[in-house]
Amino acid sequence: PPRGPAGGLMPARGSIPRVPVHPEARGLPLLGVARGDRRRGGLWDAPTAALYEAEVVRFRDLAALVYPARLREESVRPEDVVAHHRRLDAMLQRETVVPAPFGIGFEEERDVARFLREQHDELVDALGFVEGRWEFRLHIVPATADLPEALAQDLATHVYAELRRSAHAALPFPRAEPGAFSAAFLVDRVATRGFLEKVEELDRAHVDLTLDATGPWPAYDFVRVRLED
């Protein structure tokens, strides 16, 4: 699941209260928030959103992208989560979106509009932070089992520092396994080729490590809508 930002990165601080919903009630799960004012570069309209089986709710220069579905948490299926993120990945090719994790939803359009109104400034800041950028994730593991863990971490830290120079922002993740290192990088779209070439260069230079870069992704780890408990 997406992790929250750290290290001084600018998050979307919008929060949505959890509202009890009748098990059979239908609502509007949130995909994300984009710019909705054509004068400021926003492209979202009803026909465009329909390509992603989504709908648009607007407030001023923002557009919330939602889709009709059940809000009952017990009915969540893995394929629903996959479909949610596939929509976001497809939208990424068109425009900057502050992504919402699966499971955030509203009962009615007026609730969506109220969220946009109450969190307007924070969401605009978040969109500005990721405008023209997308995320890449890097996973580093030792190429051989006999590489000392301390050495693997030192080498991975060096790789991270080198790639950080080619990114607008970066975020290391907690270690999931001994010797492994993972991080997210927010990269200018126009700098994508240079960033990936740098990954390949570092992979060739560090024969004791295996580097695996994935993306581009929506900026899940740098800006996102958060739930309010």
Side-chain angles (χ1 to χ4, degrees), residues 5-213:
L9 303 180
M10 183 183 298
R13 295 183 295 277
S15 298
I16 303 171
R18 294 182 182 272
V19 180
V21 179
H22 187 275
E24 297 303 316
R26 297 185 67 82
L28 298 171
L30 178 67
L31 278 170
V33 177
R35 295 193 187 277
D37 188 341
R38 290 183 181 275
R39 295 171 297 178
R40 307 181 77 179
L43 300 175
W44 290 99
D45 52 27
T48 300
L51 296 175
Y52 306 101
E53 299 179 347
E55 301 174 3
V56 177
V57 179
R58 297 178 181 276
F59 175 75
R60 290 170 56 183
D61 54 343
L62 296 178
L65 307 167
V66 298
Y67 56 97
R70 294 186 185 277
L71 294 180
R72 182 183 178 185
E73 293 186 4
E74 290 79 4
S75 65
V76 172
R77 301 172 300 172
E79 54 265 37
D80 295 332
V81 180
V82 171
H84 177 95
H85 291 291
R86 281 182 175 169
R87 285 190 179 105
L88 279 170
D89 292 343
M91 289 175 177
L92 176 68
Q93 306 303 319
R94 180 177 178 84
E95 192 173 352
T96 299
V97 177
V98 174
F102 181 83
I104 292 180
F106 302 89
E107 292 191 62
E108 300 177 3
E109 286 191 9
R110 63 182 180 182
D111 300 321
V112 184
R114 183 173 66 250
F115 160 71
L116 293 178
R117 182 181 69 250
E118 293 176 350
Q119 306 297 338
H120 177 271
D121 292 349
E122 289 85 353
L123 291 168
V124 168
D125 286 346
L127 281 165
F129 185 65
V130 298
E131 193 75 51
R133 304 180 178 108
W134 45 28
E135 177 177 325
F136 286 87
R137 292 174 182 168
L138 179 71
H139 188 57
I140 304 174
V141 296
T144 60
D146 59 353
L147 184 67
E149 182 177 351
L151 178 57
Q153 287 299 306
D154 286 345
L155 293 173
T157 301
H158 171 74
V159 169
Y160 172 80
E162 288 295 308
L163 288 174
R164 177 66 182 84
R165 301 173 188 270
S166 302
H168 182 74
L171 173 66
F173 296 150
R175 282 192 293 169
E177 55 188 281
F181 182 94
S182 297
F185 297 86
L186 189 64
V187 179
D188 290 338
R189 296 189 183 208
V190 296
T192 295
R193 176 176 293 182
F195 177 82
L196 293 177
E197 288 177 348
K198 187 65 175 179
V199 173
E200 293 178 358
E201 175 188 326
L202 291 167
D203 189 35
R204 292 192 299 269
H206 293 79
V207 296
D208 291 325
L209 302 176
T210 298
L211 279 61
D212 180 27

